[in-house]
Amino acid sequence: MTWKVIGKGLPKIDSISKVTGEAQYTVDLKLPGMLYGNIFRSPLPHAKIKSINTSKAEELQGVHAVITAKDVPLNKFSFFQWLADKTILCSDKVRYLGDEVAAVAAVDEETALEALSLIKVEYEPLPAVFDAEEAMKPGAPLIHDKEKNIGFHVERLFGDPDKAFEECDYICEDRYVTGQVSHCCLEVSNCIVKWDSSGRLTIWTNTQAPHTQRQEIARILGIPIRNVRIINSTMGGGFGSKLVIDMKLPIAAILSKKTGRPVRIENSRAEEFSTAKTRYGYTIYVKTGAKKDGRLWAREMKVIGDNGAYHDKGPATLNFSSMMFGTLYNIPNIRYEGNLVYTNKQMGTAFRGFGNPQIAFACETQIDVLANKTGMDPLELRLRNANQSDQMTFCGAEITSCGMKECMEAAARAIGWEEKRRGKGLRGVGLANMVHTGAGGRFYGYNAADAFIKLSDDGTVALITPAQDMGQGSHTVMAQIVAEELGVNLEDINVISNDTDLTPYDLGSWGSRTTFMNGNAVLDAARNTKKEIITVASEMLEANPDDIILEGGRVFVKGSSDQYSFSELADYAINKRGVPISGKGRFVDKLPSGYTIKEGFAKNIPTFAFGTQAAEVEIDEETGEVKVLKVVAAHETGTTINTLMAEGQIEGSVVQGIGYALMEGLTLKNGKVINDGFIDYKIPTFGDIPEIETILIETNDPHGPFGAKGIGEPGLVPTAPAIANAIFNAVGIMIKELPITPEKILKALKEKKGG
Amino acid sequence: MSGAGAEKSLTGEAFMHMIKLKVNGHVQELGVKSHQTLLEVLRGPLELTGVKEGCGLGECGACTVLMDGKPVNSCLVLALEADGSEILTIEGLAQVGKLHYVQKAFVKEGAIQCGFCTPGMVMATVGLLQENPNSSQEEIKEGLRGNLCRCTGYVKIIKAVEAAVEMMREGEQT
Ligand code: FES
Ligand code: FES
């Protein structure tokens, strides 16, 4: 199939506004009369609030409002309301260092900060716990008024693992640890909220899921959903951090209600590091058993997820981990147990990969240890267990398109597997596989999306889609789909997505779902618009509808010189026929028969995306430093909609994965994050990046728009295990705790020599 | 994070100092407080919001502008120190609607995702290429080290800068 717009490496449609500084982000907005809010946060990780005195702060000139728990509704809230455990402001107890206690609104930021310093709170410190495994033990300090700190528990069983392990010739058992890491979006989380006199709330904020956040705001404030409108702007990154509201939104709302003025609240970078939500830290116990011939026969995993002080997306994250654990290889006997445990730390939330990078690190490094035991080449072992297209796995996953084998072979070839695997000095190569959703999930019990298109009277196309572009480029993907279907130029398409009053309801941009879900809805809208265009064109051209061609923003009949531009066509439709042209689109992802969310397990995933990464590293034995020389990332895209952007998604993911593998992690001292800036919390810079080779494997998904599936998250999933495996190949040590710092390498090298 | 609201603080010592800046070709005279940074003045009263703040502490490069032709982190420069200098921000780079060749290269190579780092990255690149028009890949990596990007993984930014070097060699100027 040859396409005009699909599959090309086109610049993003918003590139010009971004490269000129014209693009407006939420941090750039200012409203008349706007006040500056700031949040008074707990300085202790766990304590009872004995008294709060705000009188000095209230007296300060320039302060318009000071609020505490007595000024806010004390509805408990969580993303999953049945797990509600957090109020807008703490009334009796604080549960992590940074918990919201009070807030102010003032004429400027300096005054707001000064007012914060005048708030006096008396606390009674309580014993705190910062490690999830410790928090599970009897006698651990209880963080909520519950019998234990385990906030969520899940178990899954397929086959008979106990019996199966007995049948295995090789078994590995290990413990892995991954820590809390920060999203580090360059634009901090921020909002402006205006509570107007009619009782309506307008919220300008950077969000990946405006419609579900709208419901969350209504829920937490106890107001009707219709009273809430959320407006997004250009977004400076998301990566999962902006799916669920944080308390600054309802706090700003209450401050606005009190003052009658719009109120802005913006995280400082230090707040972003030390109080914003993070990737869930996992402690993982894995046991893998294989038969003599390398067939993976049984696998068991126990995850202890560090929830932080309150619930957010943790239960979904733990569940998603289990699905990916069950699907990566088709193993007949599987057991999974997940516990989500409260600690006195900042909360976890979604982060690119959603529980998958954690378990992929454990699963895929253990495969190399296992291969070592069996004497097999780890690539060979993986190939022997690879999934295939049109397959139903033991855990019930319906795999439609699958390029797992192709990804492995491509990555191995590009890294020079055969030759480099033998090692050279302190260099080594390793690879790791991944599976991820390529289309979000059916976790709400359904999965659907809508879109609208109108042909404006000037012949340009306006597309209304709820797909949020946080920088990943969904606006461009959607525009390309329309451009391809309608035969118009990309420049002639306007994408509108930023206002809950205008856009159709949607679950949000997460789970690599926009290309597949919103893309399908947009394609449907474009097809319906095309039908109307053809009706009008056949009348104008006096031709058979079947002969009409749409191309280059014009309609014509093959072989004839008669043609009309889209603006002529729109003009004719509106002014001659009196009927403007538009199209509505809808995509409903069909649920498998007998499906339920709870029992659906891997059936929750509409389509899977596979991938393989291979890494080459060099170790400095003196310093313990790991230098990543090259990463090959071979990923399935179904069909690549935009090569430049698909590569960009993968390159960005790989580099985040390098950060996850080697450098990133929040460090706490008595519950306080001590690396709360980019100086101490290192993310990869220009100096840290290796050569990255991206290979896009096309598998043509039967249900994706033009055969496409999502590629937003997969690139981060296998990077850390590929690097760990390369280190194992280079120097024979397997580090089981992220990040793999030079200290850990040196220690392991020393132990190896000593042993 | 930048604290320069439209309304002046009613508290504290509001000592204002008059400074003169030439910003994107226009001379501006304005009153600033002694602790105000150049970034706060650019984003605040001058409303040049193309200049971004990623950290406010000199750790990310998002706020990079050219001061007398040299790239600086505007969050680390006091407005007072900038008195009398010439400032070029991203808003002043494209001339009458024509993109600077560095901007063109960033667009063409797909070096932009969320775009929040882009203004600073572009200005740092312009500064780097003024200093060293034939920057090698290593020199590019070294020269832009202070500019963080969380989205792109830097690969396409490096390609864009290399393309800009090439464009300049071929004589494309703004
Ligand atoms: S905002 Fe100036 S360096 Fe980050
Ligand atoms: S493009 Fe998002 S930070 Fe660089």
Side-chain angles (χ1 to χ4, degrees):
Chain A
M1 189 77 197
T2 53
W3 289 302
K4 297 226 150 43
V5 195
I6 300 293
K8 302 278 181 305
L10 303 169
K12 295 176 65 205
I13 56 174
D14 54 7
S15 307
I16 305 271
S17 71
K18 286 175 172 174
V19 85
T20 53
E22 281 164 12
Q24 280 199 332
Y25 298 76
T26 307
V27 276
D28 300 329
L29 306 180
K30 222 188 251 177
L31 292 185
M34 188 173 86
L35 298 174
Y36 292 78
N38 216 322
I39 297 171
F40 182 96
R41 296 175 178 280
S42 162
L44 298 172
H46 199 192
K48 277 197 181 131
I49 298 174
K50 296 189 67 182
S51 68
I52 306 179
N53 186 339
T54 59
S55 55
K56 283 237 168 61
E58 280 159 47
E59 282 160 21
L60 183 69
Q61 213 175 356
V63 170
H64 284 239
V66 182
I67 57 168
T68 63
K70 66 180 182 355
D71 303 293
V72 303
L74 291 176
N75 303 328
K76 281 201 177 164
F77 166 85
S78 186
F79 172 72
F80 296 106
Q81 195 56 30
W82 53 280
L83 293 170
D85 57 6
K86 181 149 175 61
T87 53
I88 300 173
L89 292 168
C90 301
S91 58
D92 52 349
K93 196 171 151 176
V94 291
R95 294 179 176 84
Y96 75 99
L97 199 148
D99 220 346
E100 296 89 347
V101 177
V104 302
V107 290
D108 60 22
E109 203 155 340
E110 270 177 278
T111 312
L113 280 172
E114 198 183 336
L116 288 190
S117 72
L118 298 173
I119 296 175
K120 295 286 169 262
V121 183
E122 244 188 295
Y123 301 95
E124 180 189 323
L126 296 169
V129 58
F130 308 113
D131 178 89
E133 279 189 294
E134 287 299 318
M136 278 172 85
K137 289 185 184 155
L142 290 175
I143 294 165
H144 291 270
D145 294 333
K146 290 180 185 150
E147 276 162 26
K148 49 185 193 326
N149 287 323
I150 299 174
F152 175 78
H153 175 84
V154 55
E155 279 179 32
R156 290 290 180 171
L157 180 70
F158 297 93
D160 186 347
D162 295 331
K163 181 166 157 275
F165 276 117
E166 279 171 20
E167 296 158 6
C168 287
D169 300 295
Y170 304 100
I171 292 177
C172 285
E173 264 190 277
D174 298 279
R175 175 179 183 266
Y176 297 87
V177 179
T178 72
Q180 283 187 316
V181 294
S182 179
H183 299 79
C184 300
C185 302
L186 267 239
E187 182 194 19
V188 290
S189 164
N190 72 108
C191 65
I192 302 173
V193 180
K194 183 168 164 45
W195 195 310
D196 68 24
S197 39
S198 67
R200 195 145 202 255
L201 259 182
T202 306
I203 300 174
W204 290 262
T205 190
N206 39 359
T207 168
Q208 296 175 236
H211 285 278
T212 49
Q213 287 202 345
R214 179 172 178 246
Q215 298 171 337
E216 290 162 16
I217 289 288
R219 208 158 77 213
I220 197 168
L221 289 171
I223 58 173
I225 295 175
R226 72 171 73 158
N227 284 18
V228 184
R229 174 184 183 192
I230 296 190
I231 299 175
N232 204 345
S233 301
T234 306
M235 276 178 79
F239 313 120
S241 65
K242 295 175 174 71
L243 286 171
V244 185
I245 59 159
D246 69 13
M247 291 307 153
K248 75 170 68 62
L249 267 61
I251 288 172
I254 299 289
L255 287 170
S256 176
K257 189 180 184 189
K258 272 213 135 184
T259 59
R261 312 256 294 249
V263 175
R264 155 179 283 296
I265 302 187
E266 182 178 332
N267 270 359
S268 68
R269 180 55 66 185
E271 274 178 304
E272 193 90 352
F273 274 115
S274 61
T275 71
K277 296 177 248 182
T278 68
R279 185 188 290 287
Y280 286 101
Y282 273 18
T283 302
I284 306 166
Y285 294 87
V286 202
K287 182 173 172 187
T288 305
K291 300 264 196 158
K292 223 184 230 97
D293 61 355
R295 173 86 174 91
L296 295 173
W297 193 241
R299 208 164 210 195
E300 202 171 71
M301 174 179 278
K302 209 169 143 183
V303 169
I304 295 136
D306 186 346
N307 206 21
Y310 299 97
H311 274 305
D312 192 88
K313 286 254 182 184
T317 306
L318 243 62
N319 280 335
F320 187 74
S321 296
S322 74
M323 295 169 203
M324 297 305 108
F325 170 67
T327 313
L328 179 59
Y329 299 105
N330 191 14
I331 305 173
N333 304 287
I334 282 174
R335 180 183 286 126
Y336 177 89
E337 184 190 328
N339 282 302
L340 194 60
V341 186
Y342 285 121
T343 58
N344 293 109
K345 287 153 80 175
Q346 63 207 100
M347 312 149 65
T349 193
F351 191 157
R352 199 178 216 167
F354 206 65
N356 201 2
Q358 292 92 318
I359 62 139
F361 171 62
C363 290
E364 279 298 275
T365 52
Q366 195 174 56
I367 292 287
D368 276 40
V369 177
L370 183 75
N372 201 37
K373 263 194 179 177
T374 63
M376 278 176 81
D377 179 283
L379 171 64
E380 179 58 36
L381 181 74
R382 286 182 172 87
L383 281 168
R384 202 163 287 186
N385 289 283
N387 279 303
Q388 286 155 17
S389 298
D390 302 316
Q391 179 191 356
M392 171 80 86
T393 69
F394 289 105
C395 68
E398 283 177 52
I399 295 173
T400 50
S401 55
C402 172
M404 191 173 190
K405 210 163 151 258
E406 291 87 330
C407 288
M408 273 191 260
E409 282 162 354
R413 207 176 310 123
I415 202 81
W417 185 259
E418 287 299 322
E419 180 206 328
K420 296 217 168 117
R421 189 65 196 170
R422 286 190 287 273
K424 194 175 121 208
L426 295 167
R427 287 190 179 189
V429 292
L431 59 74
N433 283 328
M434 61 76 57
V435 64
H436 200 74
T437 173
R442 296 159 178 157
F443 314 120
Y444 287 76
Y446 73 94
N447 199 18
D450 277 8
F452 301 117
I453 287 175
K454 67 159 185 163
L455 189 64
S456 301
D457 53 350
D458 56 11
T460 60
V461 179
L463 167 66
I464 299 173
T465 166
Q468 298 303 301
D469 197 327
M470 54 239 183
Q472 87 281 32
S474 57
H475 281 186
T476 306
V477 168
M478 301 305 134
Q480 281 183 267
I481 290 171
V482 174
E484 187 66 48
E485 195 59 24
L486 296 187
V488 294
N489 301 320
L490 221 43
E491 308 81 77
D492 292 331
I493 301 169
N494 258 321
V495 184
I496 302 156
S497 74
N498 67 335
D499 186 341
T500 51
D501 270 6
L502 178 71
T503 59
Y505 182 80
D506 194 66
L507 297 174
S509 290
W510 49 263
S512 304
R513 79 187 277 279
T514 52
T515 295
F516 189 95
M517 293 303 302
N518 302 103
N520 265 324
V522 166
L523 179 58
D524 188 46
R527 283 184 180 145
N528 290 330
T529 311
K530 189 174 179 176
K531 274 187 210 148
E532 293 200 359
I533 290 173
I534 287 177
T535 307
V536 177
S538 64
E539 203 176 294
M540 289 173 84
L541 292 161
E542 293 172 10
N544 186 332
D546 294 341
D547 297 335
I548 307 282
I549 294 171
L550 282 65
E551 206 180 292
R554 311 186 78 78
V555 288
F556 54 89
V557 171
K558 203 171 179 188
S560 153
S561 60
D562 268 8
Q563 50 171 281
Y564 293 102
S565 68
F566 266 46
S567 58
E568 288 166 316
L569 179 103
D571 182 53
Y572 180 91
I574 293 170
N575 296 315
K576 293 263 165 38
R577 297 183 91 231
V579 186
I581 292 173
S582 64
K584 180 180 169 197
R586 171 165 294 166
F587 178 68
V588 181
D589 162 33
K590 202 166 154 278
L591 303 178
S593 63
Y595 158 89
T596 61
I597 320 176
K598 211 167 156 30
E599 297 307 318
F601 196 66
K603 279 197 177 35
N604 274 299
I605 310 301
T607 188
F608 293 91
F610 291 88
T612 307
Q613 289 184 12
E616 183 180 11
V617 302
E618 184 170 43
I619 317 295
D620 184 326
E621 272 192 310
E622 298 292 306
T623 62
E625 214 98 19
V626 177
K627 190 169 165 56
V628 184
L629 302 170
K630 181 171 179 171
V631 173
V632 179
H635 286 271
E636 236 189 281
T637 57
T639 294
T640 309
I641 303 271
N642 186 321
T643 49
L644 212 52
M645 282 168 36
E647 286 167 11
Q649 282 305 294
I650 294 171
E651 289 158 1
S653 297
V654 166
V655 171
Q656 281 184 357
I658 292 172
Y660 191 50
L662 300 177
M663 48 219 286
E664 291 182 40
L666 290 165
T667 313
L668 269 76
K669 206 170 163 196
N670 301 326
K672 185 173 167 49
V673 173
I674 52 174
N675 52 347
D676 63 355
F678 285 120
I679 292 286
D680 297 314
Y681 184 105
K682 297 258 182 264
I683 64 169
T685 69
F686 278 96
D688 300 305
I689 60 158
E691 179 191 347
I692 299 175
E693 184 178 338
T694 305
I695 302 171
L696 306 175
I697 306 277
E698 303 218 326
T699 45
N700 193 16
D701 191 82
H703 306 297
F706 298 99
K709 38 185 157 182
I711 190 68
E713 298 170 284
L716 192 152
V717 179
T719 316
I723 290 171
N725 288 340
I727 297 169
F728 186 49
N729 180 234
V731 288
I733 53 170
M734 185 60 90
I735 307 289
K736 296 174 193 161
E737 189 178 329
L738 293 181
I740 304 171
T741 56
E743 297 76 54
K744 289 178 195 162
I745 298 262
L746 286 180
K747 189 163 164 264
L749 283 174
K750 214 168 134 201
E751 276 165 17
K752 191 182 163 217
K753 280 194 187 126
Chain B
M1 287 173 275
S2 45
E7 263 178 273
K8 297 287 163 297
S9 171
L10 304 170
T11 60
E13 15 69 281
F15 291 131
M16 295 298 249
H17 306 267
M18 289 309 285
I19 63 162
K20 203 181 203 176
L21 297 173
K22 192 169 179 191
V23 183
N24 299 334
H26 301 284
V27 176
Q28 306 264 3
E29 271 185 83
L30 70 167
V32 299
K33 292 184 214 157
S34 46
H35 61 269
Q36 244 179 331
T37 64
L38 176 59
L39 173 65
E40 285 168 340
V41 169
L42 292 172
R43 281 185 59 82
L46 299 184
E47 299 190 335
L48 294 165
T49 53
V51 188
K52 293 292 180 251
E53 175 172 0
C55 68
L57 297 166
E59 299 170 357
C60 77
C63 63
T64 307
V65 299
L66 297 189
M67 182 160 133
D68 296 326
K70 294 253 176 315
V72 294
N73 286 334
S74 61
C75 70
L76 290 185
V77 177
L78 287 174
L80 276 175
E81 293 174 72
D83 190 12
S85 65
E86 212 169 298
I87 307 291
L88 185 68
T89 74
I90 191 73
E91 286 92 344
L93 192 60
Q95 293 298 314
V96 278
K98 192 167 175 284
L99 294 187
H100 186 273
Y101 67 97
V102 171
Q103 290 172 308
K104 278 190 203 160
F106 268 64
V107 171
K108 191 169 150 273
E109 298 296 330
I112 303 160
Q113 286 187 28
C114 82
F116 204 82
C117 69
T118 307
M121 203 66 88
V122 166
M123 296 315 288
T125 304
V126 171
L128 173 73
L129 298 189
Q130 265 169 21
E131 183 86 354
N132 180 4
N134 288 312
S135 294
S136 66
Q137 192 180 107
E138 281 318 303
E139 287 164 336
I140 293 167
K141 284 185 172 185
E142 190 49 45
L144 298 179
R145 222 192 166 98
N147 288 70
L148 299 179
C149 174
R150 189 56 157 173
C151 301
T152 64
Y154 306 104
V155 179
K156 300 221 180 306
I157 298 179
I158 295 170
K159 279 206 183 120
V161 181
E162 286 175 332
V165 168
E166 203 47 43
M167 281 156 89
M168 197 160 63
R169 235 179 247 146
E170 284 162 13
E172 160 132 22
Q173 301 289 342
T174 30

